[in-house]
Amino acid sequence: MKLKQTILSIAVTFLSVGAVTTTVDSSKYQQIEELQAKQEVKIKKAITSEFITPEERQILNTDMANFRLAEKTESRKKLLDLIDKEKENIKKIEKNLVKTEAETAKKELSELKNQYTTLEVQSKEAFVFKDDKSKVVEIKKEIDKLPKNIKKVQPIRSISFKIGELSASIRKIQTEAKSATDKLKELNNQSEELSEKNYLGSADRDTLEKDREKNNQLIKNSDSISTIETREKESKELIDKLSKKSDETEKDFKENEEDARKLSKSINTLLEEGELHSDEKEELSKLSKTLTKSLDLTEYKPGDLGKNYSTQKETYDKYEKNNLDRKAEKKKKEEEEKTAKEKVKKEEEEKKKRKEAASSNSVEWHKAPAGKRFLDKESQLTYKQVKNPSNFEEISEEEAAKYKPGHGNGSAKQ
């Protein structure tokens, strides 16, 4: 309100209506001005209140407008009457404002409790972390501290705002956590697929299985997004590392597995059947175990198969040559011994024949009985006379007709 007037203007105004202006009167008008200014502060505060009705706002606006119209033309008494009327209206409206705010506070307190119940239910959902659960408990304490017959809405709304912020924060974190755990689930799927590949050893498969178990624990329960994100990073790094290893191993095996398995079989055969010295057997046994471990992926790094094949093939070839040389030497010796034995045997047989021939001239001839013949079972020939009947079978002449007669020799004749 702008009521600042000079004492002269006040005097002129009241002279026009027959009043006598004095210095004292000017002071009293100044008091009216100050009183109205204080009054308008209350009026404006009431007008801006959310709890005032349109009718009440209209009353107060009208009171101020009436005073502005009267301040230049009406008497001091008239102005004071207007101020008194304003006071009465303000008092009545302020009382209504207090009552309306109290009713609103009661209603909003009930809504606040319902809002908290919803928050409490939300706090029991998945991916609500310890810190946020603690905040829910603290909000409950704040609500419990509110007076049962609270008259003001500000404390209620302050808590309501906290609930809204916390609920939104929890929902945001839940969305982020679900996204993060979905990534862990996808990593587990990738891990399962990787574990089924042929080019991973049992130790690497066990590592992947333990990694999936860690992921599953966080999928079920976690204390923070950062924990899930850290786990995701570690799991991805492991899968990438072992996936690369699997690819490199597959390349190594496709290039060298067939040759390595043949070499492994050849080494084992050489160990079982070869003519080897003890130190050669010991070294070959070690090489065989190393190659087997590479083929079984029990002790293997990508590239080991090709590297081990190259070095072990060289060693195998050297020992195989030694084996063949020794076997050839052994065979030569055996053949020489066999030839010598055969020579001795032949000489002994010839000596025996000569001895038998010499002795056969002094042996008596035996004639077959009448109607009989002697049969040499080995030659299937028949004879009439033999020197040693025990070496022949005695058969009838009818049966002898089935066989050919033999020519005479040192032991049988016709």
Side-chain angles (χ1 to χ4, degrees):
M1 183 189 74
K2 192 172 181 181
L3 294 175
K4 291 187 177 180
Q5 300 171 328
T6 61
I7 295 175
L8 180 59
S9 64
I10 294 173
V12 170
T13 299
F14 282 90
L15 281 172
S16 62
V17 293
V20 178
T21 303
T22 65
T23 301
V24 175
D25 288 337
S26 298
S27 175
K28 288 181 179 180
Y29 276 104
Q30 185 67 29
Q31 290 174 359
I32 291 172
E33 176 186 341
E34 291 173 357
L35 185 61
Q36 179 62 17
K38 292 179 181 179
Q39 192 104 299
E40 286 197 8
V41 170
K42 291 183 178 181
I43 291 173
K44 289 178 178 179
K45 181 179 178 182
I47 287 173
T48 57
S49 172
E50 65 178 285
F51 304 109
I52 193 170
T53 65
E55 293 79 10
E56 291 171 335
R57 184 177 287 109
Q58 180 62 40
I59 289 170
L60 294 178
N61 281 328
T62 300
D63 285 348
M64 285 194 300
N66 289 339
F67 187 87
R68 290 192 186 103
L69 290 173
E71 66 183 349
K72 293 180 180 180
T73 58
E74 297 295 339
S75 66
R76 176 171 164 272
K77 183 177 182 307
K78 180 64 174 177
L79 293 176
L80 289 172
D81 289 342
L82 291 175
I83 289 175
D84 287 341
K85 184 180 179 183
E86 280 181 345
K87 281 183 181 180
E88 184 179 344
N89 287 336
I90 290 171
K91 184 177 180 181
K92 181 180 178 181
I93 290 171
E94 284 179 339
K95 184 177 180 181
N96 289 342
L97 293 178
V98 170
K99 180 182 177 183
T100 303
E101 183 174 8
E103 291 172 349
T104 303
K106 182 179 180 181
K107 178 182 176 183
E108 290 187 5
L109 179 60
S110 176
E111 293 172 351
L112 179 69
K113 290 178 179 179
N114 291 336
Q115 187 183 10
Y116 173 78
T117 299
T118 302
L119 177 66
E120 189 176 33
V121 171
Q122 184 184 12
S123 71
K124 296 176 182 177
E125 295 175 357
F127 308 123
V128 179
F129 302 128
K130 189 183 295 184
D131 289 346
D132 287 334
K133 288 183 178 181
S134 297
K135 291 177 182 178
V136 173
V137 173
E138 291 302 316
I139 286 176
K140 180 65 167 62
K141 291 179 181 178
E142 289 186 44
I143 293 174
D144 291 341
K145 289 180 181 178
L146 292 175
K148 292 182 180 180
N149 295 321
I150 189 168
K151 305 296 184 182
K152 296 291 184 179
V153 297
Q154 192 279 329
I156 298 171
R157 291 178 179 179
S158 175
I159 297 173
S160 177
F161 180 77
K162 288 182 181 180
I163 291 176
E165 278 196 327
L166 181 56
S167 178
S169 174
I170 289 174
R171 191 62 66 203
K172 180 175 180 292
I173 290 172
Q174 284 179 312
T175 302
E176 293 173 353
K178 185 179 184 306
S179 174
T181 53
D182 284 346
K183 291 177 182 178
L184 288 183
K185 291 177 182 178
E186 176 57 30
L187 287 172
N188 275 1
N189 290 336
Q190 294 176 20
S191 175
E192 287 281 3
E193 291 176 4
L194 182 58
S195 293
E196 292 173 2
K197 290 190 175 182
N198 295 327
Y199 300 101
L200 276 184
S202 57
D204 289 333
R205 295 179 200 278
D206 291 342
T207 300
L208 285 172
E209 184 177 0
K210 290 176 182 177
D211 184 70
R212 291 195 296 272
E213 289 173 358
K214 290 180 181 179
N215 289 349
N216 285 331
Q217 288 174 359
L218 290 186
I219 288 170
K220 293 176 182 177
N221 185 30
S222 178
D223 56 3
S224 69
I225 287 289
S226 62
T227 302
I228 300 175
E229 290 174 343
T230 300
R231 177 89 282 278
E232 177 197 347
K233 180 181 177 183
E234 292 172 351
S235 184
K236 187 176 186 305
E237 287 175 352
L238 175 65
I239 291 171
D240 289 345
K241 174 185 172 183
L242 294 184
S243 181
K244 181 182 178 183
K245 181 179 179 180
S246 175
D247 292 341
E248 292 173 350
T249 301
E250 182 176 6
K251 182 176 182 295
D252 188 18
F253 268 65
K254 285 185 175 180
E255 292 175 354
N256 302 292
E257 182 180 12
E258 184 177 354
D259 290 337
R261 291 197 181 279
K262 288 179 180 178
L263 177 59
S264 178
K265 185 177 180 180
S266 297
I267 290 175
N268 291 333
T269 301
L270 183 57
L271 282 169
E272 292 174 4
E273 303 174 1
E275 295 289 336
L276 300 173
H277 295 160
S278 59
D279 59 332
E280 293 172 334
K281 283 187 176 182
E282 184 178 354
E283 185 175 359
L284 271 182
S285 294
K286 290 180 180 177
L287 294 179
S288 176
K289 288 178 182 177
T290 300
L291 192 58
T292 299
K293 287 178 179 178
S294 292
L295 287 166
D296 293 343
L297 299 172
T298 51
E299 290 183 12
Y300 171 86
K301 298 189 297 295
D304 278 358
L305 195 61
K307 182 176 66 177
N308 290 339
Y309 171 77
S310 298
T311 57
Q312 293 178 22
K313 182 70 167 61
E314 184 178 343
T315 303
Y316 167 78
D317 288 344
K318 181 176 70 174
Y319 290 163
E320 172 66 359
K321 183 178 183 302
N322 293 347
N323 168 58
L324 294 175
D325 290 346
R326 289 174 190 136
K327 282 189 173 183
E329 182 65 27
K330 183 179 179 181
K331 184 177 181 181
K332 181 181 177 183
K333 186 176 178 181
E334 288 174 348
E335 288 176 349
E336 288 175 349
E337 290 176 352
K338 181 180 178 182
T339 301
K341 287 179 180 179
E342 287 176 348
K343 183 179 180 182
V344 171
K345 183 179 179 182
K346 184 176 181 182
E347 289 175 349
E348 288 178 348
E349 287 177 348
E350 289 176 351
K351 184 178 179 182
K352 182 180 178 182
K353 285 179 181 179
R354 288 195 299 271
K355 186 178 178 180
E356 287 177 349
S359 64
S360 66
N361 295 325
S362 60
V363 176
E364 183 181 357
W365 288 93
H366 296 273
K367 289 183 178 181
K372 298 287 185 176
R373 291 286 187 273
F374 290 111
L375 174 65
D376 184 349
K377 291 182 179 180
E378 185 177 348
S379 65
Q380 297 290 296
L381 299 174
T382 60
Y383 300 93
K384 291 179 180 180
Q385 297 179 69
V386 297
K387 285 187 175 182
N388 189 355
S390 64
N391 291 335
F392 296 85
E393 181 182 353
E394 195 177 285
I395 62 175
S396 66
E397 287 183 346
E398 290 81 2
E399 191 176 353
K402 299 177 182 178
Y403 301 94
K404 291 182 180 181
H407 296 291
N409 55 50
S411 61
K413 64 181 181 177
Q414 295 300 328

